[in-house]
Amino acid sequence: MIVHVSPDVPPIVRPGMMLTEARAHCADLIDLPVDPASDGRSLEALARWLVRFSPSVAIDPPATIFLDATGLERLFGGVANVHARVAAALRRLQISAGVAIAPTPGAAWAIAAFGGAHALAIVEAGEVDAALAPLPPEALRLDLRTASALRALGIASVTALRRLPRASLGARFGPALLQRIDQALGAVPEPLVYLEHRTPVRAIVEFEGVVESLEALHMALAELVRRVAAQLARQGLGARRLQVSIGQPYLPPLEKTIELTRPSRSGGDLLNLLRCTLETVKVNDGFLSVGLAAPTTERLHGEQEALIGGEHERVARESDRLIERLDARMAQDVERVSLVASHAPERAFAGHGHIAANPKARADAGPAHPAAPARPLRLFASPREVRVTVTPSTRRDGWPVAFTDDAGHVHRLSHVRGPERIAGQWWRGRWKTRDYFDAIDEAGGRYWLFRVAESGRWFLHGVFE
């Protein structure tokens, strides 16, 4: 038996539908940016949380989790109790989901996603045909094109679909349709790829009494790093986050977290990071225990230095180690910046706390916009309006030759490059189209100016340093 969990989706909202049309059908619809990577991580996290009910859990993105419930009726006192406990647990997490138990993954998915509130939530082996019969063809997990074609032919249920000759279905829609029908009915097996079980990576050293020596603390850290690195090596993983817990005699444990820019199980690198993090730790009453855990890990494949070249990779590793040490020593002062999909330059980036918290934002920042023009590293929080003198032009689109800043200083421009036109965000209602100029004055200062095409007003947006 399979337990399937899938978020409820209003049937009036379909893939490919325009947002305005969806809002016309559902006025309280909430739309959020698509982030498949974050959705996948959240789905896997929920699946691993559901391991408390079944040791065999599989995910099917974007919104499906399968639990193998074979034999669980003896543990929970019946299949109905399994269903009730899983559904109740999801409700406590405030997750809206459909839960169904059926002999096959396809039947469980169909009933949970399309069965509705009045459908049987638990289907026995001999009830699959009857349970699937009134459901729409989309319940067989068909692609959008095939489902639309069946709807156009007037086939509105699985019963109507199965009445058609099997040979004609295969010739008209391909073998995938027949495979989905057979998988739902159990005629063809559908193996699931279950999540790998992860053994927690952690180690602890407990002292026989209160220890006040920092040398003893460092020796304990070295032993903990050796144990954790060995566990990571056995599982083929690298640590992306380390957590240190120092037990104190009369106070709660002192917790420290270290973020890594890339997965690592190098004992020397991990020990150096721990020492940098604990440089400012002061425990006046001594230590009772020291624990080290790696709650976040990633698959780490063997790396081999190139015999010729490989300089870029070595420089990248050294840069990452420097960033990790800075973050360990100045955790509150180091901030990372990631790119945001926005044409407006002041909204094209965002700060997210520690620079090592999301290293992929750093790694992807370069290739994401390989052909982007130069941008100043320093942008003003809000563009400053300036007075600009331009070359004579009958269309108000001359090039700037000088500008006066807000302090009254006149900057005569010796070199100007542009314009670079950036379309504004019309829904914000102001500062529509901008023409940017990269300008250098006679003193060598380099500035980023733009003119609003609709109003002709000039603004100073940034300074190159």
Side-chain angles (χ1 to χ4, degrees), residues 159-380:
T159 298
L161 178 63
R162 295 188 62 195
R163 288 174 181 172
L164 299 177
R166 184 179 177 88
S168 62
L169 286 177
R172 178 75 179 271
F173 301 102
L177 175 58
L178 299 179
Q179 182 183 21
R180 286 303 192 187
I181 295 175
D182 293 338
Q183 287 176 344
L185 297 176
V188 174
E190 182 180 357
L192 299 175
V193 180
Y194 298 115
L195 295 176
E196 296 181 1
H197 293 282
R198 295 179 180 175
T199 303
V201 179
R202 57 180 175 230
I204 187 172
V205 172
E206 296 182 347
F207 303 112
E208 295 182 356
V210 178
V211 175
E212 299 181 354
S213 171
L214 290 178
E215 289 76 8
L217 176 63
H218 291 162
M219 293 178 61
L221 286 175
E223 174 63 19
L224 291 174
V225 168
R226 186 189 65 80
R227 296 182 189 176
V228 168
Q231 296 178 35
L232 293 171
R234 284 195 298 269
Q235 301 183 40
L237 302 174
R240 285 295 300 272
R241 178 184 299 168
L242 294 176
Q243 288 184 345
V244 185
S245 177
I246 302 177
Q248 305 178 79
Y250 309 107
L251 296 173
L254 179 63
E255 305 284 346
K256 288 287 185 178
T257 301
I258 303 173
E259 305 283 354
L260 283 80
T261 57
R262 62 174 65 194
S264 174
R265 56 170 177 259
S266 171
D269 294 342
L270 299 181
L271 185 58
N272 289 334
L273 287 176
L274 289 173
R275 288 173 175 171
C276 292
T277 303
L278 299 180
E279 283 180 351
T280 58
V281 172
K282 295 181 180 179
V283 183
N284 298 326
D285 296 327
F287 318 102
L288 289 176
S289 63
V290 183
L292 179 63
T296 304
T297 58
E298 284 187 10
R299 183 65 58 186
L300 182 63
H301 301 284
E303 298 181 358
Q304 182 177 358
E305 290 286 350
L307 297 178
I308 300 177
E311 184 66 23
H312 176 74
E313 181 65 23
R314 287 192 291 271
V315 171
R317 286 200 298 269
E318 289 300 326
S319 175
D320 289 338
R321 293 192 183 106
L322 174 61
I323 292 172
E324 291 167 354
R325 291 194 295 270
L326 290 175
D327 185 63
R329 290 184 174 179
M330 302 180 294
Q332 304 301 323
D333 301 322
V334 180
E335 185 179 16
R336 68 178 177 86
V337 178
S338 62
L339 294 178
V340 177
S342 176
H343 290 292
E346 65 271 17
R347 298 186 182 91
F349 64 92
H352 300 279
H354 297 330
I355 196 167
N358 187 5
K360 293 185 177 180
R362 289 181 55 253
D364 297 341
H369 299 279
R375 295 284 189 270
L377 293 179
R378 179 187 172 192
L379 289 180
F380 300 130

